[in-house]
Structures are given as C-alpha cells and as structure tokens.
Amino acid sequence: MTGMTETVVSPPDERFNFAGHVFALNQSRADKIAYVDDDGALTYAALERRARCAATALRASGVRREDRVLLLMHDCNDWPAIFLGALYAGVVPVAINTLLTATDYAYILSHSRSQAALVSDRLLPVLRAAMVDADHEIANVVVSRPGDDTAGFDEWIAAHEPMAGACDTRADDPAFWLYSSGSTGRPKGTVHAQGSLYWTAELYARSVLGLTEDDVTFSAAKLFFAYGLGNGLTFPLTVGATVVLMAGRPTAEACFARLRGVDAGDGRRLRPTVFFGAPTGFAGMLASPALPPRDDVALRMCSSAGEALPRDVGERFTRHFGCDIIDGIGSTEMLHVFLSNRPGDVRYGTTGKPVDGYAVELRDELGRVIDGPDVVGDLFIQGPSAALMYWSDRQKSRETFQGAWTRSGDKYLRDVDGYYIYAGRSDDMLKVSGQYVSPFEVESTLMEHVAVLEAAVIGVPDENGLTRTKAYVVLKNGENGSDAFSDELKAFVKARLAPVKYPREIEFVGELPKTATGKIQRFRLRERSSPAAA
C-alpha cells in the first residue's frame, strides 16, 4: 500500500457552497477575462452575475432545492454560468454527453427525473425526440443561443435579479451528477458532493499542476466529462486563470488553432499556457501535417488522462514542443486525477505516484494487499473527492464504493521506485499460456513503430479454445497494411517484449471504436471477432 500523504490543505467549512466559494475567491478579478468561447469573452464579474441570475431564474421556474436539471450543452460561456448558478441555488445540475442518442437521453431523463433542461440550440431536436420517448416530463426547456428570434438563456436570466446569497449547502450535500461513459451497459449517474470540487482543485490543480492566475487553460475534454469539468471550470476558476472554450470536436487542427491564440476582444490574443488532452489526441496531433512549430505556441505544460499515455507519444511531444505532458489517472467516480506524474518528475511509461491526500492500494484476486513491486493487481483509491453513490443502483454502488475505498476497475503494478504502471482495465486483461498479458503494454509497443498511429489488443480463442492475442492497428496517413507488414510488426513486438505477448494476429483498420472520451472500446472489437460475428 502507498499510504495517504499528509497534506497541508485545510478541508472546506462544513457549510460550503462551491459556487459561492469561487465567487468570493475572485472578487478582486472582476474585470479579468474568465472565459473566451467561439463568440466572445466573459469577465469574472459577468460570470458571477449571470450565474446568480440563473440561480434566481431556476427557483422562479419552480425548480426546488436538490431538484435535478439537465445540462445538455456544447462548451460555451453559458455552460459555467448555468452550472455555477445551479450550485449557487442548491439545485443539482446533471451534466451529460453531447454525443449520445435520443434513446440515451430518454433513459437519462427518466433515470434522473430532471425538472428542467438547459440545451444548446443544435441539440434541441434530439432532446425533443428523447422527451417523446421518456416516461418523465420536463416542464421547462431553456435554449442556449437559439438560432432564431425566440427567447433563450440570455432573456431567461435577464428577467431576474441576482440571487442575494448562496444556498446554505453543506460540503457533503449532493451537488451535481456526471454520467459514466457507458462503454458497457447503461451509463451510471454518479453523484458528487459540493466539497468534491474543492478537493480536486486544492490537491491536484494547485499542489500538482501548480496552476496560477497567470495561466490560460484549454481542454480538449469537454466540460461534461469529469476530466474536462476540472480542467475548464473547477481548476482555473479556483486560481483565477482564463479559460478557452471550444464548442466543436477537438480535432488536431481545431486544437492547434486555439493553441496559436484566440481573440480576447480587447486587442489581445490569448495563447494557452496549459493544455489538457488525452493520449489519442496527443498521438493525433503529432501525426497531423498541420503540427505547428514550437514557437507558435506558448505551452508551459500539458496534462493527459483518460487512458495511460504511451511512453513514445510523451517523449516525442516533449521533443517537439519543449514541455512535459503530466500523465495521470482519474475517474468519474473520483472526479479527477488521483495518481500522477509531477512537473520536474515525469517518468513516461508510468502514471507517477499518488497525489497528496489520496491513498492507493493494489489488491490480488482474493482482495489481499500487494506489498511487493512488479506484481499486477486491482487498483483501489481512498480520497476526499470520491462520489457519494451511483443513483438508484445499490448493487453497483456497493461493488465500487467499498467503505473508504473506491475500486477503480484498473490493473496496475508498482515498480521498485514506487511509480505506478498501467496494465489495463480489469476486464481487458488477458491470460495467455498461463501468464497475464496487458493489452496496453502490447499496444504501446506497437505504437513505437514509426508507421503505427493507434493499436488495440484483445484476446480471441484459437482452434483449441485457448486465448491468443489479436491486434487491430491503424496506420498513419491512412495507409493500408499487408501480410508482409503484419509479420514485420509481430517481429517488432517480439524483439521488445516476452514472446508470449506478441500478437498472433494483426488486422489493419481505418479507425478504432471509442467512447466520447477517446477510450478504446475493446468490447466492440471482441464482438467483431466473436465466432457469431463471422
């Protein structure tokens, strides 16, 4: 076990409202830009006023304390205003993925029993379709930036004065929901407390990343993700930084455009100093023909989460841009990163060490704590930002939230120096010839080949019913593979890993199935490779 490190961070007061906390922290920054989205800038003073007006509007529309409101919006300046406004009013925002289907939204509407919905204009048709199928009615739908002359979010809040004071909430009160990515089965409504946001900002943003008010942050991960919520709201607002938001897909080219600078509306161009991405995104950026030179950006640091960052990707990115990628692991259940590399102590190929304030254990198949190095085990975490529960799912809550500990669902090992190395998801681990094989280790090795963009490894049965490894490989520049190149890749892996680990079969594909967070959906590949699919 790696024990919980003593930290100097004081806990929030028992009576604590995160929105009120953030507004108090930034009273001296009234005229500073808090957000710049695709359409303009928003100062800290304007953000607070809009949020407090939204709080009044929610209550005036009949939404009561602890009622849920659906937040189905693309990243824009309205998003933090309504999220903070709901927290300020003691209302619970349910932030959801903008890339789901009407069927998914119908389920979430019914499951959350949201009393109102805030929705982007382009997402209104799919929400309306979901409302037809859901067995729960929503009385109020407010549209952010409507495309016609109808009244929307601006008019809704303009009709109300700012709420005088924050709702008298406690640090442990339910504050907001995030839905799991749902890569297998129905997404789970993960309930977080007011204090969870405080803890991630203090323990990770300040203590690990060292964010300050001088930073300009930009996150490829959207605000509705746990990772993106920290990157684009909790962290920068806690330290008084400026945030760049983007509504569209975070393609490499779109990210480069923001990293080169955005118009602040006052004659300045703001260039992000901290970029938050994911491994697949960093690999795509490096492979893009539009990759900008180092001098075109102002990056001092990058952050990566979502999946483990391959060593080769991290090293190549640092060589090109001259800044480190701080790789860590977090989860929706823990809200943000709890195990991380650190500025000045980056060891690519590892996920670093526990963040101060969190404890980590590796446990074997019988639940016993693994004390020695280089033994793969299930990762458990103890820390103050853990979710309260999965809503209306007692069984899965018990499986994940085990007393003070949270089961991550990840396999890890710890090296002799105390650095943690990702071995894969617990349900993705392979046992080949009696030995555990980490798909991630094989994938990372394949990606070291100069021609490989992405790879995913699964287990498939051979003619005797025994497990063998199969790799799905995406080549750079849209190139096609061949039998000869397949043999070359097999030999490439065999030269670097134990013989049991090289892929016995390689299939070249144009793209890999992924969740909206960029995580590879290996279960889709297993379905594709099953005998029934043949």
Side-chain angles (χ1 to χ4, degrees):
M1 168 179 163
T2 298
M4 186 177 291
T5 307
E6 185 177 350
T7 175
V8 297
V9 175
S10 300
D13 294 337
E14 181 183 359
R15 295 188 179 280
F16 177 80
N17 182 283
F18 182 76
H21 168 70
V22 162
F23 297 152
L25 288 175
N26 291 294
Q27 286 301 303
S28 63
R29 302 185 180 97
D31 296 328
K32 183 180 180 182
I33 294 175
Y35 285 96
V36 181
D37 69 6
D38 297 338
D39 296 316
L42 186 70
T43 65
Y44 271 95
L47 172 64
E48 179 179 347
R49 179 177 178 82
R50 288 170 69 81
R52 291 171 59 192
C53 288
T56 306
L58 283 168
R59 288 295 191 89
S61 64
V63 179
R64 300 166 299 177
R65 178 172 176 169
E66 297 187 5
D67 280 347
R68 273 83 65 190
V69 294
L70 202 71
L71 184 50
L72 177 58
M73 293 169 54
H74 294 122
D75 282 16
C76 69
N77 292 344
D78 290 349
W79 206 108
I82 188 58
F83 184 86
L84 293 171
L87 296 186
Y88 200 79
V91 172
V92 179
V94 178
I96 58 174
N97 192 328
T98 59
L99 302 175
L100 302 181
T101 66
T103 300
D104 294 319
Y105 296 138
Y107 168 77
I108 291 172
L109 283 172
S110 300
H111 184 250
S112 67
R113 297 192 291 278
S114 293
Q115 299 301 303
L118 285 296
V119 60
S120 291
D121 182 69
R122 283 183 291 158
L123 296 170
L124 184 57
V126 70
L127 176 63
R128 283 175 172 160
M131 291 168 65
V132 172
D133 294 335
D135 59 2
H136 170 75
E137 293 184 3
I138 290 184
N140 300 294
V141 176
V142 180
V143 181
S144 169
R145 305 184 181 183
D148 52 29
D149 295 330
T150 59
F153 180 72
D154 287 344
E155 292 77 12
W156 184 59
I157 62 172
H160 300 278
E161 290 297 314
M163 184 173 281
C167 182
D168 184 22
T169 53
R170 296 175 181 267
D172 287 339
D173 280 351
F176 62 99
W177 293 16
L178 300 171
Y179 272 86
S180 64
S181 59
S183 58
T184 58
R186 290 286 195 182
K188 299 180 289 292
T190 310
V191 183
H192 274 285
Q194 292 275 352
S196 296
L197 296 160
Y198 171 89
W199 283 116
T200 59
E202 297 300 323
L203 295 177
Y204 185 65
R206 288 190 194 270
S207 301
V208 174
L209 297 183
L211 294 184
T212 74
E213 63 180 341
D214 296 326
D215 280 312
V216 178
T217 71
F218 172 53
S219 174
K222 301 300 184 181
L223 287 165
F224 58 77
F225 295 127
Y227 182 48
L229 180 64
N231 307 340
L233 190 148
T234 313
F235 298 172
L237 297 190
T238 295
V239 302
T242 296
V243 185
V244 175
L245 295 178
M246 177 179 69
R249 289 179 58 245
T251 63
E253 291 71 23
C255 289
F256 293 152
R258 272 73 182 177
L259 293 176
R260 284 191 168 99
V262 296
D263 185 0
D266 57 5
R268 294 181 298 151
R269 285 192 67 77
L270 297 174
R271 292 197 299 173
T273 58
V274 181
F275 173 64
F276 297 87
T280 53
F282 286 114
M285 292 168 76
L286 289 169
S288 171
L291 183 68
R294 179 183 301 189
D295 292 344
D296 277 12
V297 303
L299 292 173
R300 70 173 184 84
M301 180 176 61
C302 293
S303 166
S304 180
E307 285 193 313
L309 180 74
R311 181 196 304 271
D312 177 64
V313 173
E315 291 174 345
R316 287 192 291 124
F317 194 93
T318 295
R319 283 198 300 271
H320 183 85
F321 285 110
C323 67
D324 286 331
I325 299 177
I326 309 302
D327 185 34
I329 181 176
S331 67
T332 304
E333 291 76 11
M334 294 303 296
L335 189 56
H336 214 277
V337 170
F338 51 80
L339 184 63
S340 181
N341 283 270
R342 287 162 172 75
D345 184 20
V346 172
R347 187 173 294 194
Y348 288 130
T350 81
T351 316
K353 298 179 179 180
V355 172
D356 287 358
Y358 293 86
V360 168
E361 284 185 352
L362 297 181
R363 301 181 187 176
D364 65 18
E365 294 174 347
L366 297 178
R368 297 172 301 196
V369 176
I370 298 170
D371 290 325
D374 300 325
V375 180
V376 174
D378 292 303
L379 182 70
F380 283 74
I381 315 100
Q382 180 185 148
S385 62
L388 300 174
M389 69 179 117
Y390 296 130
W391 183 260
S392 191
D393 199 332
R394 194 174 187 184
Q395 180 61 36
K396 289 192 179 297
S397 293
R398 284 176 167 174
E399 292 171 1
T400 299
F401 306 108
Q402 301 179 11
W405 294 90
T406 300
R407 183 178 185 274
S408 71
D410 293 295
K411 293 277 191 182
Y412 264 84
L413 61 87
R414 185 177 61 253
D415 69 16
V416 293
D417 296 321
Y419 292 84
Y420 283 75
I421 300 171
Y422 182 67
R425 291 290 294 173
S426 296
D427 54 2
D428 287 332
M429 289 294 290
L430 307 176
K431 206 161 193 180
V432 181
S433 299
Q435 301 180 50
Y436 276 116
V437 174
S438 164
F440 177 75
E441 182 182 21
V442 182
E443 292 160 2
S444 298
T445 303
L446 283 165
M447 289 176 63
E448 291 176 7
H449 193 287
V450 66
V452 175
L453 177 61
E454 292 181 310
V457 171
I458 64 169
V460 296
D462 64 15
E463 62 275 8
N464 297 312
L466 301 174
T467 299
R468 57 183 171 82
T469 50
K470 177 177 180 178
Y472 288 87
V473 173
V474 180
L475 298 179
K476 294 178 181 177
N477 303 320
E479 294 181 6
N480 297 318
S482 64
D483 290 343
F485 190 60
S486 175
D487 291 339
E488 179 182 332
L489 287 180
K490 292 176 183 177
F492 183 84
V493 175
K494 288 173 72 174
R496 288 160 175 79
L497 299 178
V500 72
K501 297 180 179 181
Y502 87 91
R504 268 49 173 189
E505 181 181 352
I506 293 179
E507 181 175 337
F508 297 100
V509 294
E511 61 181 359
L512 298 174
K514 298 172 186 173
T515 67
T517 60
K519 295 179 181 178
I520 297 169
Q521 294 176 308
R522 292 178 183 82
F523 78 98
R524 298 289 186 198
L525 297 175
R526 287 193 288 268
E527 291 172 353
R528 176 172 172 171
S529 295
S530 69

